[in-house]
C-alpha cells in the first residue's frame, strides 16, 4: 500500500514537474529543491508520499470515484470497438497485399510459361547470326560422346569439343 501511494503521488509529481520545468526553472536552487522533494517522498522516516496521498489525493479520488469508474467502463468499451476496427483494417490490408502479391506472382508465372511457349519451342535447332547452333536438343545431346561425334568440324582440345 505504501508503494502504491508513492507511485500515485509520483505520477502526479511528474505531471506537475513538466509544467513547472517550463515556468519556474529559472528559480535559484530549483533542481536541488526537486531532488529534496523526491527524497522526502521516498523517505521511510518522513513518509511524505503517504502524507500527501492521505491528506490530499485520497479525499479527491473518493469524491470522484463514480465518475472515474464510468470513465473506465467507457474506455474499455471504446478500446474493444477500436481493436475490432483495427483488426478489420489489418485484415483488409493483409487481404489486399495477398491479392496484389498473387497478381504479381501470376504475372511472373505467365512470363515464365510464355518463355516456354510453342513458338519458342519451335525455334529450337535454329542458328544465330554467326551460323552457330542456338539450341541443340536431341535424345543424344545428353550423351557427351554423342555430342563429340556430332561436332566433327569442331576442334578437340583436351577431350572437350570446342564450338
Amino acid at each position: 500500500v505504501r508503494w502504491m501511494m508513492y507511485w500515485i503521488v509520483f505520477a502526479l509529481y511528474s505531471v506537475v514537474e513538466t509544467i513547472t520545468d517550463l515556468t519556474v526553472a529559472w528559480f535559484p536552487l530549483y533542481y536541488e529543491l526537486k531532488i529534496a522533494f523526491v527524497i522526502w517522498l521516498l523517505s521511510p522516516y518522513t513518509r511524505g508520499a503517504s502524507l500527501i496521498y492521505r491528506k490530499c489525493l485520497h479525499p479527491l479520488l473518493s469524491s470522484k470515484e463514480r465518475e472515474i469508474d464510468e470513465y473506465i467502463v467507457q474506455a474499455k468499451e471504446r478500446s474493444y470497438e477500436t481493436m475490432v476496427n483495427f483488426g478489420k483494417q489489418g485484415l483488409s490490408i493483409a487481404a489486399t497485399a495477398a491479392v496484389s502479391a498473387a497478381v504479381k506472382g501470376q504475372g511472373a508465372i505467365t512470363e515464365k510459361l510464355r518463355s516456354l511457349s510453342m513458338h519458342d519451342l519451335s525455334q529450337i535447332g535454329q542458328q544465330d547470326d554467326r551460323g552457330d547452333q542456338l539450341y541443340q536438343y536431341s535424345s543424344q545431346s545428353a550423351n557427351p560422346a554423342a555430342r563429340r561425334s556430332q561436332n566433327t568440324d569442331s576442334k578437340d582440345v583436351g577431350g572437350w569439343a570446342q564450338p
Side-chain angles (χ1 to χ4, degrees):
V1 172
R2 178 176 164 248
W3 284 109
M4 179 203 63
M5 288 188 256
Y6 168 75
W7 285 111
I8 291 172
V9 172
F10 188 78
L12 180 65
Y13 165 76
S14 296
V15 170
V16 171
E17 176 191 27
T18 304
I19 297 167
T20 59
D21 276 351
L22 297 173
T23 58
V24 192
W26 57 268
F27 188 73
L29 302 175
Y30 171 71
Y31 294 103
E32 289 81 2
L33 290 173
K34 279 178 33 175
I35 292 171
F37 181 71
V38 171
I39 291 171
W40 178 75
L41 287 176
L42 275 171
S43 175
Y45 299 110
T46 60
R47 296 189 182 194
S50 298
L51 182 71
I52 291 175
Y53 182 82
R54 287 192 177 126
K55 295 288 182 184
C56 301
L57 290 178
H58 184 69
L60 178 67
L61 292 174
S62 294
S63 67
K64 305 284 184 182
E65 186 174 358
R66 181 177 296 152
E67 295 170 16
I68 293 170
D69 288 342
E70 288 174 5
Y71 180 75
I72 290 172
V73 169
Q74 290 175 0
K76 281 183 183 178
E77 291 172 358
R78 282 186 293 204
S79 67
Y80 177 74
E81 292 170 5
T82 302
M83 290 307 295
V84 168
N85 288 335
F86 280 145
K88 287 179 183 177
Q89 289 176 354
L91 287 175
S92 173
I93 291 169
T96 304
V99 168
S100 67
V103 168
K104 288 178 183 177
Q106 182 181 9
I109 290 172
T110 304
E111 290 299 320
K112 290 286 185 186
L113 291 176
R114 188 173 295 147
S115 70
L116 297 174
S117 68
M118 287 306 293
H119 174 59
D120 291 337
L121 293 175
S122 66
Q123 293 180 2
I124 292 177
Q126 291 184 353
Q127 296 179 348
D128 66 0
D129 295 338
R130 296 180 302 184
D132 293 334
Q133 189 83 16
L134 287 175
Y135 300 105
Q136 186 174 11
Y137 182 78
S138 68
S139 60
Q140 297 176 352
S141 66
N143 185 348
R147 270 188 277 151
R148 267 189 252 131
S149 67
Q150 288 174 351
N151 294 329
T152 56
D153 59 336
S154 62
K155 298 176 185 175
D156 190 11
V157 179
W160 295 96
Q162 300 294 321

